[in-house]
Amino acid sequence: MGAATDILVVPFFGQGHLFPCAELCKRLSSHNHKSIFIIPSHLSSSISSDLHHHPSVEVIQIDHHDLGHGIQSFLSGRYQNVRPAFVVVDVLMIRLKPIFIKANIPIVSFFTSGACATAMEYAASKPQPALPGLPHGIAMTDLDIKRRDRRRKDRGERPGRLNLGPNLGPPKSGPLARWMDQTEDSAALIINTCDDLEAPFLKFLTSQVEKPVFGVGPLLPDSFWKSIGSVVRDSSRPGRDTNYTEEEVIQWLDSKPRGSVIYVSFGSEVGPSVEEYDELAEALAETEKSFIWVIQPGAGKPGPPANMFGGKDSSEEEDEEEEEAGYLPHGLEERVGNRGLIIKGWAPQLSILSHPSTGGFLSHCGWNSTVEAICCGVPILGWPIRGDQFYDANMVAEYLKVGHKVEVSDEKSIMVKKNDVMGGIKAVMDDGGVGDRAMGLRGIFEAGYPSTSAASCKALIQFLSTK
């Protein structure tokens, strides 16, 4: 059987996975190949229109009720006499591997997280962790582990409603998900990072897995790379329900002094507890800094977003209204007036981070948010919620030194309190050294998408052309 030039890309379902996978499709298709982006049908509206109309990208929608069987049917119907060049599989979808192994399609495992978190989780999963060549100060502290484990217990991870097919559910994980151990059948690994940011971690992973590891990021939209040095228009990412338009947000930022606004957002999938949200609200009320606070539907509720896997059962429909509402900081808008902008729902994050009035980012330190802030030169105040985010926060504060972490003063309750947040905001907004280093790191990306990452995409395709 011969090989076609098609490259299949299979993402996981959260925005932090869909967006970089979509951008990866464009990068790979620029090398005389066609990218086939395979997504569950209920996520079609989450994909930007420019991807749907890209001349070298094809979006294939498969019924989410049985994704595994749908992919098998797609492969047998489309590739009867040839096979795709290779398939890129998000590591959170790694149990789809048997389908592609049976079809004799080379597999590339894709980590949408950074190389630091990937390397540290791999090292920590070993009986005797060995960290040759890795920077110090990145590993989780005892307090980090306590906070992570408490949040995991509190979330109670609601069962996913996406049926991948027989024996194709999400892999079970121990204290740390051992994704690296499940990539043995992969021909190569790719990571959403670049040598300029994480060279020691990429080098470590290459030495450990004994197969090629390519840094192909940061996988940000074309609108970002074309707008470096100015405010990015976030139109390439599909907007959702929100109480402020992108233009209204930019106008509000225009009214604030340079570097005076702290941006607060925990992404679309995780966040603090309701009690910690109350502490955050009090901190924002009492700080003198201007702020933008993005609050997602269902904020403060345990488990992943209700619409992440698609479909609802009857019990979920009954409490949908309550779940969508989530946490709201009642009375805060009246207390702070024009000093604060509270966005309920979708926010134009790249527009906010690239605006000169934004001087700091209070973040959960998910990798996409982390790298977006770094590329925009915005110092980060890390408030990690789950596993890999602790490594990202430690890397930001201890290795790159472009931010700080929220320091938890109450080690007994391991809960973030008002004074912890206020202290962190002051630290990240008033530390000139951190600000200078953040701006210096941004300089790496002023020429656009890193040349090392473009070379990695080309090298990946050349490597797999021999398989």
Side-chain angles (χ1 to χ4, degrees):
M1 179 182 290
T5 58
D6 291 357
I7 298 171
L8 310 183
V9 178
V10 182
F12 190 60
F13 317 113
Q15 288 185 17
H17 297 260
L18 281 174
F19 288 160
C21 282
E23 296 305 322
L24 179 64
C25 286
K26 300 176 189 176
R27 294 294 169 186
L28 294 176
S29 68
S30 65
H31 296 274
N32 298 318
H33 283 65
K34 183 174 185 177
S35 294
I36 311 296
F37 197 33
I38 301 176
I39 62 170
S41 54
H42 76 284
L43 294 177
S44 178
S45 61
S46 299
I47 305 302
S48 63
S49 59
D50 68 325
L51 191 72
H52 281 286
H53 297 102
H54 194 286
S56 298
V57 177
E58 182 179 353
V59 179
I60 299 295
Q61 302 174 43
I62 293 179
D63 188 346
H64 65 269
H65 291 99
D66 194 344
L67 186 59
H69 183 265
I71 291 176
Q72 289 175 323
S73 298
F74 166 72
L75 292 177
S76 61
R78 180 153 176 166
Y79 301 103
Q80 296 179 353
N81 300 315
V82 297
R83 64 164 174 82
F86 59 93
V87 58
V88 176
V89 182
D90 187 307
V91 291
L92 295 191
M93 298 293 280
I94 209 67
R95 289 204 177 184
L96 290 171
K97 284 196 310 179
I99 295 172
F100 303 109
I101 292 172
K102 183 178 180 180
N104 195 33
I105 303 171
I107 298 170
V108 175
S109 292
F110 180 33
F111 290 81
T112 55
S113 58
C116 170
T118 305
M120 296 303 295
E121 288 203 1
Y122 177 76
S125 71
K126 298 304 177 184
Q128 294 180 332
L131 309 174
L134 290 180
H136 296 289
I138 310 298
M140 285 192 192
T141 65
D142 289 342
L143 184 57
D144 287 341
I145 293 171
K146 290 178 182 177
R147 290 175 61 201
R148 179 207 62 188
D149 290 348
R150 188 203 71 179
R151 290 295 290 141
R152 178 183 287 135
K153 181 179 178 181
D154 290 348
R155 287 199 311 271
E157 293 300 346
R158 180 172 42 203
R161 295 175 295 282
L162 188 84
N163 182 9
L164 300 178
N167 303 315
L168 293 175
K172 296 179 180 179
S173 60
L176 286 173
R178 299 179 180 180
W179 304 118
M180 292 295 296
D181 290 339
Q182 300 185 46
T183 63
E184 293 178 356
D185 297 320
S186 301
L189 311 183
I190 57 176
I191 302 180
N192 184 17
T193 191
C194 62
D195 288 348
D196 302 279
L197 283 182
E198 298 191 285
F201 306 102
L202 286 168
K203 184 178 180 181
F204 169 81
L205 288 169
T206 301
S207 70
Q208 294 295 308
V209 301
E210 299 181 342
K211 64 183 66 178
V213 179
F214 300 96
V216 296
L219 291 165
L220 300 180
D222 293 337
S223 60
F224 173 81
W225 300 114
K226 294 176 181 177
S227 304
I228 292 176
S230 60
V231 177
V232 178
R233 294 292 175 161
D234 221 353
S235 57
S236 63
R237 294 180 173 178
R240 299 188 176 186
D241 291 341
T242 183
N243 57 332
Y244 287 101
T245 65
E246 181 179 28
E247 191 60 40
E248 288 170 333
V249 173
I250 292 174
Q251 288 178 359
W252 184 89
L253 283 164
D254 287 343
S255 71
K256 305 301 178 187
R258 186 180 188 90
S260 65
V261 175
I262 180 78
Y263 171 52
V264 182
S265 177
F266 294 93
S268 60
E269 297 173 25
V270 298
S273 64
V274 170
E275 294 78 12
E276 288 174 320
Y277 271 122
D278 282 333
E279 298 287 333
L280 171 58
E282 285 301 311
L284 293 175
E286 295 188 22
T287 183
E288 297 178 354
K289 306 294 184 182
S290 296
F291 65 87
I292 293 177
W293 184 8
V294 181
I295 304 176
Q296 296 286 347
K301 302 290 184 180
N307 63 349
M308 186 174 186
F309 296 97
K312 302 180 181 70
D313 59 33
S314 58
S315 62
E316 290 163 343
E317 289 176 347
E318 291 174 2
D319 63 6
E320 179 180 11
E321 183 176 346
E322 176 187 354
E323 183 169 338
E324 285 298 307
Y327 177 83
L328 291 175
H330 297 292
L332 181 60
E333 289 174 294
E334 291 76 14
R335 292 171 67 183
V336 301
N338 192 49
R339 181 170 63 82
L341 190 70
I342 300 175
I343 300 177
K344 301 165 187 175
W346 180 85
Q349 179 156 296
L350 282 174
S351 301
I352 295 169
L353 288 173
S354 62
H355 197 286
S357 294
T358 302
F361 181 17
L362 172 51
S363 170
H364 63 305
C365 284
W367 182 243
N368 284 305
S369 290
T370 299
V371 79
E372 286 171 9
I374 289 172
C375 289
C376 291
V378 177
I380 298 169
L381 176 59
W383 183 341
I385 307 296
R386 64 185 181 193
D388 62 313
Q389 297 162 9
F390 288 90
Y391 295 123
D392 294 343
N394 290 341
M395 186 184 76
V396 163
E398 304 297 333
Y399 175 60
L400 298 176
K401 299 187 184 300
V402 293
H404 294 277
K405 289 175 61 179
V406 172
E407 300 294 338
V408 178
S409 56
D410 188 346
E411 295 193 14
K412 184 176 181 180
S413 72
I414 57 174
M415 187 176 110
V416 175
K417 300 293 184 67
K418 176 188 71 175
N419 289 338
D420 302 335
V421 180
M422 293 183 68
I425 291 175
K426 179 175 174 58
V428 80
M429 297 291 284
D430 296 347
D431 187 338
V434 159
D436 291 343
R437 286 190 292 274
M439 289 301 295
L441 199 58
R442 186 186 77 164
I444 295 172
F445 306 101
E446 288 181 350
Y449 182 66
S451 59
T452 56
S453 296
S456 288
C457 288
K458 183 177 181 180
L460 171 70
I461 292 174
Q462 289 176 338
F463 170 72
L464 287 166
S465 67
T466 63
K467 296 294 181 181

